[in-house]
Amino acid sequence: MSDIREPILITGAAGFIGSNLLRRLIKKKFKVNVFINQKTNLWRIKDLLNDTNIYFVDLTNKKKLSLLIKQVKPKTIFHLSAYGAYPFQNFTDLIKKVNLDVTMNLLHSCEKYGFEKFINTGSSSEYGFKNKKMSEQDLLSPNSHYAVFKSASTMFCQYEAKSKLLPITTLRPFHVYGPYEEPSRLIPTLVKQLSNNISPKLVSPHISRDLIYIDDVIDYYLLSCKNDRVNGEIFNIGSGKSTNLRKIYTTINAFLNSSRKPQWNTMKNRKWDQNIWVADMKKTKDVFNKKNSVDLNTGIKKFIKWYKNNYKIYEKIRNRG
């Protein structure tokens, strides 16, 4: 952990992955700087505010962003700000600004003062639809505006890293789950409905996910700061295993001792649903020399325990978007 150089900056610290990363760093006694939009709902990090240096800024404002970077001069940057990953985030211009323009402006500003590591966050949606494991060498075929601009951001970061020999890395998370996950997503929805004895309406049971628990994802972010082999590279962050909705449902159902049966095929497939969605983890395993520590059963069990203790947090969320 001592290999992480301060000052540390996190963008997107109020999001799912960002908030968990912030918690881990604070637990390790780091003082972290976070850039957050004034309008952002801070429900995930309300209990962390006194332990964090918070700067409220519209990241799409290039001038103000540059001035803050000049003030903080971060050495380690975890870039997780994003917009467009959820159905309620559907303004194309904003998707482009937050995912591409902000990344460009942030990186250029940080370059002026020098940095030790810049960890960019990509998305498995950059791959689009594949009929095999998704490899970092695959031709990208994004299937949404969000995926288009995430792909552009990834390519920009890789170009800057290789053309200027900068320590920039892009991590591509697959289906991350765990505490503080967006409540409308699959696993929180199933846990909530089955806990309330509701039979969930679902798409085809054959739709698949590559699931990875949030604790393992945070491990990869932190390990990225300690390994020079990651510079200029892109890495899948997943399990390397395909798990279909039937398996996910039966696992949650068993842990909750529920007798409710799902209503399969009562929802239309979303544009991102696919029967094959799994990461090729060979490159990641070779470079990071890490095995994921949380398997599906353990991860689901951990999330259910967290949910039972914190479900009221979800109930209080308002003003989405």
Side-chain angles (χ1 to χ4, degrees):
M1 191 64 66
S2 60
D3 293 303
I4 300 178
R5 287 286 305 278
E6 298 180 274
I8 299 168
L9 170 65
I10 301 178
T11 70
F16 171 37
I17 298 177
S19 63
N20 278 276
L21 175 60
L22 178 60
R23 286 181 184 279
R24 181 81 68 88
L25 288 170
I26 289 175
K27 186 177 181 180
K28 297 295 182 180
K29 307 302 181 183
F30 285 102
K31 192 72 173 184
V32 185
N33 303 281
V34 301
F35 289 180
I36 293 179
N37 191 296
Q38 185 74 50
K39 297 179 181 179
T40 299
N41 191 324
L42 302 179
W43 65 274
R44 291 183 175 96
I45 60 171
K46 280 184 177 180
D47 59 319
L48 306 178
L49 300 182
N50 291 333
D51 299 311
T52 309
N53 294 327
I54 295 185
Y55 299 87
F56 289 103
V57 58
D58 179 355
L59 292 177
T60 65
N61 186 318
K62 183 177 180 179
K63 183 176 180 180
K64 289 185 178 179
L65 174 60
S66 180
L67 288 172
L68 275 181
I69 292 297
K70 182 179 181 180
Q71 179 180 338
V72 175
K73 295 183 177 64
K75 290 296 181 183
T76 302
I77 303 99
F78 297 101
H79 180 38
L80 294 114
S81 67
Y83 176 89
Y86 304 119
F88 55 81
Q89 298 175 330
N90 53 15
F91 295 101
T92 304
D93 287 347
L94 195 53
I95 293 172
K96 186 253 185 185
K97 287 180 181 178
V98 174
N99 294 296
L100 179 57
D101 296 349
V102 167
T103 301
M104 294 174 64
N105 295 336
L106 177 66
L107 185 50
H108 282 152
S109 294
C110 290
E111 283 180 37
K112 294 177 183 178
Y113 307 101
F115 57 84
E116 295 293 325
K117 289 288 182 178
F118 187 106
I119 313 300
N120 179 54
T121 304
S123 168
S124 62
S125 65
E126 296 173 43
Y127 291 116
F129 298 105
K130 304 292 182 186
N131 58 8
K132 62 179 182 63
K133 284 190 172 184
M134 298 172 181
S135 166
E136 294 90 344
Q137 302 302 316
D138 287 347
L139 179 67
L140 300 183
S141 183
N143 55 12
S144 68
H145 288 130
Y146 172 73
V148 166
F149 294 115
K150 271 294 186 183
S151 300
S153 174
T154 295
M155 294 299 97
F156 172 76
C157 285
Q158 189 173 46
Y159 174 78
E160 289 290 290
K162 296 198 171 184
S163 64
K164 299 178 181 178
L165 300 180
L166 293 172
I168 306 168
T169 305
T170 293
L171 304 184
R172 274 190 187 136
F174 276 66
H175 190 119
V176 186
Y177 70 104
Y180 299 99
E181 185 177 0
E182 175 62 35
S184 63
R185 295 188 79 205
L186 175 65
I187 290 175
T189 297
L190 289 178
V191 171
K192 177 182 178 180
Q193 291 180 336
L194 291 173
S195 296
N196 289 286
N197 204 31
I198 297 171
S199 294
K201 295 182 178 180
L202 294 166
V203 295
S204 165
H206 304 297
I207 297 299
S208 294
R209 299 282 187 269
D210 184 324
L211 298 170
I212 178 168
Y213 193 71
I214 185 64
D215 289 355
D216 280 313
V217 175
I218 302 308
D219 287 345
Y220 283 113
Y221 274 88
L222 299 183
L223 287 171
S224 295
C225 299
K226 304 180 179 184
N227 190 338
D228 288 338
R229 292 177 65 195
V230 306
N231 293 347
E233 299 294 334
I234 301 165
F235 295 95
N236 287 337
I237 304 299
S239 68
K241 299 177 182 178
S242 181
T243 305
N244 63 32
L245 294 196
R246 188 185 300 280
K247 173 65 174 177
I248 296 170
Y249 179 87
T250 56
T251 302
I252 295 172
N253 206 36
F255 279 124
L256 289 173
N257 295 314
S258 170
S259 60
R260 305 302 299 185
K261 294 183 178 180
Q263 301 180 54
W264 295 115
N265 298 302
T266 54
M267 280 182 61
K268 290 183 179 180
N269 285 6
R270 283 74 52 88
K271 58 184 177 182
W272 59 85
D273 283 329
Q274 48 196 308
N275 289 355
I276 299 174
W277 183 15
V278 58
D280 184 332
M281 290 292 289
K282 183 179 186 307
K283 178 181 177 182
T284 303
K285 288 180 178 179
D286 288 347
V287 173
F288 284 87
N289 191 28
K290 165 186 162 51
K291 291 184 178 179
N292 292 353
S293 60
V294 182
D295 61 19
L296 179 64
N297 284 344
T298 304
I300 293 296
K301 196 172 183 179
K302 285 166 72 75
F303 177 74
I304 289 173
K305 181 179 179 180
W306 178 86
Y307 176 84
K308 287 182 177 179
N309 291 326
N310 296 278
Y311 69 92
K312 290 183 179 179
I313 294 176
Y314 280 170
E315 292 180 352
K316 293 178 181 178
I317 299 172
R318 295 290 186 272
N319 302 321
R320 307 320 307 268

